[in-house]
Amino acid sequence: MATVAEHMISALQVSGVSRIYGLPGDSLNGFTDAIRRADGITWEHVRHEEAAAFAAAADAALTGRLAVCAGSCGPGNLHLVNGLFDAQRTRVPVLAVAAHIPIAEIGSGYFQETHPEQLFRECSVYCELISSAQSAPRVLEMAMRAAIEENGVAVVVVPGEVFQSRLSGERWSGRPVLPSRSVRRPDDSTLRRAADILNAGSRVTILGGAGTAGAHTEVMALADTLQSPIVHAFRGKEHLEYDNPYDVGMTGLLGYASGYKAIKEADVLLMLGTDFPYTQFYPEDAAVIQVDIRGSHLGRRTPIDVGMVGSVRDTIDALLPMLTGKTDRTHLDRSLRHYGRTRKSLDALAVNDQDRTPIRPEYVAGVVNRLADDDTVFTFDVGTPTIWAARYLTMNGRRRLTGSFTHGTMAAAVPHAIGAQTAHPGRQVIALAGDGGLTMLFGELITLVQRGLPVKVIVFSNSSLNFVELEMKAAGVVNFGTDLKNPDFGAVARAMGIRGLRVERPGDLEPAVAEALAHEGPALVDVVVARQEMTIPPAITAEQARGFSLYAIRTILAGRADELLDLVTTNVARRILD
C-alpha cells in the first residue's frame, strides 16, 4: 500500500498538475518525499511561501488550469495567506496543501499550532481538514473540484502523520478532476428586456472586464451592431485592446479621460464580465445592463436595470439576433476622437525628455513595450508600475498581462513572474517592479538564479513608496514614512548571479533594456526614475483638489518647500518646455 501523500501526488498528476510551488518543512516531509520519488511532477522551490502562492496564482491565471502550492505547519502555511487572497480575488483555480501539527496535539497550544481551517476560510471556496487516511481521497477530490469549478482557492489541511499513513489504492478513484463545460446564458425573456433597452439607446457604451476572455470576436460584433465605443477595465485590457476599432481606452483611477467620458456620456451602459469597483466612474442617469457569470456580482457596484447571469460569449451569441443594427456613429466617433487626443497626450510623455534626469517612468514603460516580444508575459507590482503597465503596455492577442488586480498587494511582480516563467519556459517574461515591492520579497531574485528562470526585471527606482505619496498628496497630507534608502539594485543583482544593469540617464535606457532582454538568463535593470511624476486620474474631485492644495500649504509649513519645487519642476516646467 502506498502512503496518502503518494496517492495525493498521483491524483494531482492524473488531473493535469505537473508542478507544486513551495518551501519544505518537517510536517511536509511525507508530501515532499512523495514528489521526490514521483515521475512527471516537480517541486518548484521558492524562498518564501507567500511567493509560492503568488507563483501558483499566476500559473493558474495564465494557463487556466489548476495550480498547486504547499506550506508546512504553523508559520509555513500562514505565509501562504496573502498570495492565496490574491488568487481568490483574481478568481483562479489554486489548491493549497497546508500541513498541520500532529492530530493528537490540536488544541493543546502545541509548538507552531494555528487553526488553518479558520485562517484560510475567508480566502478560499473550500477549506477542510483531512483528519485520517480514509477521508483523504474524498476531501482532496472535493477540494480540487471546488477550485476548478468555482475558479478559486481550495485548501486541504493535512497533519504530518496523515501524509505518511498508508491506504489501499482501491479507495482512490484514479479518475481525473477536470473542469466541466457548459453553455451559460440568460433566458429569452431576460435577453429581450436587455435588447429592448439597447435598441432604444442612442449612446450605448460597452465596459468590458476579465469576463470577456475568449469572447473578443463576439464583443467586436456586438460593438459593430450597436456602434458602441468599448471601454475596458484593467483586467479587460489584454482581452479587448487589440484589433479593436471601437477601443477608447480604460476608465478608473488608472485610466484615460476618454474612457471616463465615453461612460459618463452614455444613455445605456452595457457591462460585460466586469466587477469594476469604483462607483464614482459610473454614469448617473444611464440605463445599466450587466452580464456576469456570477449572479452575486450583479448590481453590487451600481444600480442596474437588467442583470444577466451567463458567460459573455454565450450571452452575446444569444443577444445579437435580437438587436437592430444602428447606423448613427455620433457617440462612437466623438468617443474615438477624444481617445485619439488622449492617447497622443499620453504618448507625448513616454519620451526621452531632452536627456533630463531623473528619467520619466513613462519613457521606461514605453521602451520596454517597444522592445518586448510579441508574446511576452508581463507582470507588474502594485503602485506606480501598475499605472505604467495600464497606460503603456500594448496588448496584441498574444501578449499576456497578470498582476494583483483586485487584491492590490505589494511584492507580487517577481513571484508572479516565477509562476509565469515556470508555466511558459519558452516565452519572454518581464516583471515591472517597484523598488518597494521588489525589496519586500527580495529573496525571490535568488529563486530566479537557483531555478534558472530567465525572468527580466525592470525596476522603477524612485526611492519611495510612490503611489502612497500620491495618495497622501490627494488627501492633503505631508508625505511621511515613504522614503526608501535603496542600494544599486543592478550591483545587488550581479552579486546574486543575475545580469544586473543600472540606468541613470535617458540615453542609456534603450541599450540597457535591449541587453537585458537579449540575455539568456535572468536579468535586472535598475532605472532611476522621477519621484515626483504626477499621475492624474481622468476625473479630479473637488475634495482631491482641496487635498492637493492642503498638501502644498502643509509641505511649505513643514519646511519642505524643496519637495514642492521638485514636484513643480518635474511636472509643470517639463510640460511647458515640451
Side-chain angles (χ1 to χ4, degrees), residues 7 69 74 111 136 183 213 261 338 463-464 472 562 574 576:
H7 285 303
C69 59
F111 177 64
V183 174
K261 184 178 175 67
H338 194 281
S463 297
S464 67
M472 287 179 172
D562 57 334
R574 278 184 174 185
I576 292 172

Side-chain angles (χ1 to χ4, degrees), residues 39-84:
D39 293 325
I41 193 164
T42 57
W43 177 250
E44 305 296 344
H45 182 75
V46 296
R47 295 302 177 105
H48 194 292
E49 288 90 352
E50 183 178 355
F54 278 138
D59 188 323
L62 294 167
T63 65
R65 298 192 297 270
L66 181 69
V68 183
C69 59
S72 56
C73 70
N77 64 57
L78 189 58
H79 284 158
L80 294 171
V81 168
N82 194 45
L84 294 183

Side-chain angles (χ1 to χ4, degrees), residues 158-380:
V158 191
E161 72 267 34
V162 173
F163 281 126
Q164 303 189 58
S165 300
R166 296 191 175 273
L167 188 66
S168 168
E170 296 174 358
R171 302 293 295 270
W172 299 81
S173 73
R175 299 185 183 93
V177 179
L178 301 173
S180 61
R181 298 183 180 277
S182 58
V183 174
R184 297 285 303 276
R185 71 169 184 85
D187 66 4
D188 288 347
S189 63
T190 304
L191 289 165
R192 172 51 61 191
R193 287 170 52 214
D196 289 344
I197 294 173
L198 291 167
N199 287 333
S202 60
R203 302 184 307 279
V204 180
T205 295
I206 292 171
L207 172 62
T212 61
H216 183 274
T217 300
E218 289 76 13
V219 176
M220 295 306 114
L222 181 63
D224 181 63
T225 299
L226 297 172
Q227 294 297 292
S228 169
I230 298 176
V231 180
H232 61 263
F234 194 7
R235 290 192 65 195
K237 177 180 174 72
E238 65 174 326
H239 310 301
L240 294 176
E241 188 178 68
Y242 67 97
D243 296 339
N244 183 352
Y246 311 97
D247 178 33
V248 296
M250 198 169 87
T251 189
L253 296 173
L254 311 180
Y256 321 143
S258 54
Y260 173 81
K261 184 178 175 67
I263 288 177
K264 284 293 186 177
E265 292 184 350
D267 62 359
V268 181
L269 177 65
L270 176 57
M271 299 170 61
L272 300 176
T274 180
D275 192 37
F276 179 72
Y278 302 108
T279 57
Q280 65 268 37
F281 291 94
Y282 285 98
E284 285 101 19
D285 301 319
V288 179
I289 301 167
Q290 184 177 3
V291 179
D292 203 288
I293 200 72
R294 294 175 296 277
S296 61
H297 284 198
L298 297 177
R300 74 175 185 171
R301 305 302 183 190
T302 190
I304 61 174
D305 295 87
V306 180
M308 298 193 284
V309 176
S311 75
V312 171
R313 188 176 192 173
D314 294 335
T315 301
I316 292 176
D317 280 343
L319 180 63
L320 274 172
M322 300 181 181
L323 298 177
T324 302
K326 298 182 186 296
T327 57
D328 184 355
R329 290 178 53 96
T330 304
H331 176 53
L332 173 59
D333 288 338
R334 183 168 56 243
S335 298
L336 289 172
R337 285 193 298 271
H338 194 281
Y339 175 57
R341 295 192 298 270
T342 301
R343 186 70 257 173
K344 184 178 180 180
S345 66
L346 287 171
D347 291 342
L349 299 176
V351 296
N352 178 343
D353 186 22
Q354 301 179 32
D355 279 332
R356 283 193 284 266
T357 59
I359 300 169
R360 279 182 171 172
E362 299 97 326
Y363 181 46
V364 179
V367 168
V368 171
N369 178 63
R370 181 159 42 82
L371 297 183
D373 290 346
D374 285 342
D375 65 346
T376 294
V377 178
F378 294 98
T379 69
F380 56 88

